[in-house]
Amino acid sequence: MSIENDFILANDYEKKYCFNLFNPAEVAFEHGKGVYLYDTEGNKYMDMIGGIAVNSLGHSNKALTKTIAEQSKKLIHCCNYYVIPQRADLAYRLCKLSFADKCFFCNSGAEANEAAIKLARGYFFYKGSPRRTIITAKMSFHGRTLGTINATGQEKFREPFGPACPGFDYVEFNNIDALKEKIDNNTAAVMLELIQGESGVNPATAEYVKAVRQLCTSNGILLIIDEVQTGIGRTGKMFCYEHYGIKPDIMTLAKGLGGGVPIGAMLSTNEFATGFEVGDHGTTFGGNPLCCACGITVLEEIESKNILDNVNEVSKAIVDKLNELKVKYPVIRDIRGKGLLIGIEFAELLSAKEIKHSLLEKGFLVSAIGTSVIRIAPPLIISKSEAMKFISALENVLKAKK
Ligand SMILES: *Cc1c(COP(=O)(O)O)cnc(C)c1O
């Protein structure tokens, strides 16, 4: 029997040989189809978290598995010494779909944000008037590298791993006066998520984002929007910034872009692309033919299957039903988010971890944030009737806890 079919052994090795970082639930998945995952015992689960907004096309999407199979037979990796047509094509498509003129590919969200921070600083350096500070929001999340834990406006992510890296400042989210006060002549950029996904699905207000855009423009500093979680259709538009009627100067992407293969991207306008000269930045794996071919397939599927319409329709059905539940079950305190990135906040007497656990027992996967928020970020291809099954499971959990 191989370890893949032996859960007890896998669980044992996981505990013995993997760093104890994730505290995984005692379940291992063997395969998936659409919004469903099947564990090694043959049990079926509805995947309402989609690998944390990663499995945008669902599991074992036909087009994506075909791309992976075909591209892997031709060329998986090729170094940056040569032209990579898949990289060129994906960059072209992302630029056409967005405000951007230039695109850099890497392997993760944190790396995309690292590139954004470097580009902003490089821009002022090459202009001959260096500015170093990046202002980010409290309760933000920008990644786990030494740079991005310092960009992240949450002390708990950096405290054990100090010294703190200079060049970052934090302001209260959705408070324009706090930002006005912080900007000085060393400020290079403001970096924001439009929906703070990792700290409880907290959206920026429309007035705030418009005011931040104006403030950045009038001070000649860059606006970096971290769309690692919100990008590529997650919120019902290709990019979340489109909801706000603004354009960033730099945008970062990752999670949903590859439909499951690791890929990140940092995009900017031509003006700010001057922050990098040849050799200033790089990557071994970033922009490889396999991952870029997958990114192209994800974009093609979103367009040809009208996935954005599906996101908006299913989102509305979920939010309407959640609002009905909120009336029936006052333990539901708040429903937040956009598209298929939704946070459900519960009153203190009901812990999010408990709800997550009860849902898992019923065969539904969600994530719990802090003590009170359940986040859902299912594959963008989820149907209304599938989503309604989740809603009734949630209602059953709430009924049982009443
Ligand atoms: C997940 C996430 C990151 C980090 O992405 P990794 O791929 O884990 O490095 C950065 N920013 C936001 C908004 C995220 O949600």
Side-chain angles (χ1 to χ4, degrees):
M1 197 143 97
S2 80
I3 190 162
E4 266 178 69
N5 303 312
D6 185 347
F7 178 75
I8 308 275
L9 185 63
N11 197 35
D12 183 43
Y13 276 23
E14 179 97 41
K15 287 194 164 54
K16 271 195 192 132
Y17 300 114
C18 296
F19 273 96
N20 182 22
L21 289 167
F22 305 109
N23 193 25
E26 305 234 321
V27 54
F29 298 110
E30 195 264 335
H31 73 284
K33 184 118 193 70
V35 296
Y36 292 102
L37 280 167
Y38 298 82
D39 71 14
T40 43
E41 318 284 296
N43 301 307
K44 182 179 177 182
Y45 300 79
M46 187 181 285
D47 185 3
M48 293 302 289
I49 190 61
I52 316 185
V54 168
N55 297 107
S56 41
L57 303 179
H59 301 282
S60 61
N61 170 276
K62 253 200 188 137
L64 189 62
T65 54
K66 184 165 176 255
T67 298
I68 293 171
E70 287 182 356
Q71 187 58 49
S72 71
K73 285 182 221 162
K74 290 192 263 181
L75 191 62
I76 294 175
H77 176 79
C78 163
C79 69
N80 295 311
Y81 298 163
Y82 313 101
V83 170
I84 301 174
Q86 295 80 5
R87 171 174 71 189
D89 189 5
L90 183 57
Y92 164 79
R93 289 171 193 245
L94 288 172
C95 288
K96 290 292 153 202
L97 285 168
S98 72
F99 70 95
D101 304 309
K102 288 267 190 297
C103 186
F104 165 77
F105 293 108
C106 51
N107 314 290
S108 66
E111 279 175 274
N113 287 333
E114 290 275 345
I117 293 162
K118 281 178 69 175
L119 186 71
R121 290 179 180 164
Y123 169 74
F124 289 103
F125 175 82
Y126 287 118
K127 253 180 55 164
S129 52
R131 284 167 167 252
R132 299 302 188 194
T133 308
I134 313 291
I135 301 177
T136 69
K138 290 181 182 164
M139 300 311 289
S140 59
F141 181 81
H142 298 295
R144 303 288 197 155
T145 59
L146 279 173
T148 57
I149 57 173
N150 284 281
T152 292
Q154 301 186 61
E155 177 70 16
K156 66 174 181 191
F157 288 107
R158 10 174 227 283
E159 197 192 1
F161 313 108
C165 153
F168 294 94
D169 252 331
Y170 316 100
V171 294
E172 198 191 338
F173 191 50
N174 278 333
N175 179 344
I176 194 69
D177 293 328
L179 181 61
K180 263 182 207 156
E181 249 168 62
K182 268 285 190 252
I183 291 176
D184 61 24
N185 54 20
N186 198 30
T187 307
V190 175
M191 177 158 151
L192 287 178
E193 295 157 275
L194 294 173
I195 301 175
Q196 293 185 331
E198 294 306 300
S199 61
V201 191
N202 295 307
T205 65
E207 312 80 72
Y208 178 65
V209 174
K210 283 217 167 75
V212 172
R213 176 66 276 182
Q214 277 171 5
L215 202 56
C216 287
T217 305
S218 61
N219 283 277
I221 60 183
L222 283 72
L223 177 58
I224 304 170
I225 298 291
D226 177 345
E227 295 238 22
V228 167
Q229 190 155 160
T230 54
I232 313 296
R234 174 58 48 192
T235 67
K237 292 195 183 281
M238 191 54 89
F239 307 107
C240 191
Y241 74 78
E242 298 171 62
H243 289 288
Y244 289 88
I246 59 119
K247 284 177 185 169
D249 302 307
I250 298 179
M251 168 172 73
T252 54
L253 299 171
K255 293 192 165 85
L257 175 58
V261 303
I263 180 170
M266 186 278 289
L267 296 97
S268 90
T269 58
N270 275 329
E271 183 188 359
F272 298 113
T274 55
F276 282 161
E277 295 192 346
V278 175
D280 272 352
H281 197 56
T283 164
T284 297
F285 295 119
N288 67 73
L290 182 69
C291 292
C292 289
C294 289
I296 293 167
T297 299
V298 168
L299 296 181
E300 281 177 344
E301 286 283 287
I302 287 176
E303 198 192 326
S304 69
K305 304 264 168 74
N306 296 317
I307 284 178
L308 295 185
D309 291 343
N310 187 64
V311 170
N312 290 311
E313 261 170 52
V314 177
S315 172
K316 184 173 183 315
I318 292 176
V319 171
D320 286 351
K321 280 283 175 197
L322 286 175
N323 278 318
E324 283 175 37
L325 287 190
K326 186 168 171 248
V327 174
K328 269 204 214 156
Y329 302 90
V331 284
I332 298 184
R333 231 205 236 147
D334 193 21
I335 296 148
R336 303 189 286 262
K338 276 193 168 69
L340 290 176
L341 179 56
I342 298 169
I344 311 161
E345 187 176 337
F346 294 91
E348 274 122 36
L349 51 147
L350 206 51
S351 108
K353 286 210 171 66
E354 247 177 79
I355 298 171
K356 177 178 84 170
H357 188 76
S358 303
L359 283 167
L360 176 69
E361 284 181 333
K362 289 186 184 307
F364 293 83
L365 310 175
V366 299
S367 85
I369 303 174
T371 54
S372 62
V373 178
I374 290 288
R375 169 179 49 181
I376 59 169
L380 307 181
I381 47 97
I382 187 173
S383 72
K384 225 187 262 181
S385 65
E386 287 164 339
M388 291 307 108
K389 283 184 193 154
F390 165 73
I391 297 288
S392 27
L394 179 64
E395 174 156 23
N396 287 334
V397 167
L398 296 179
K399 240 186 233 159
K401 306 239 183 242
K402 219 174 176 180

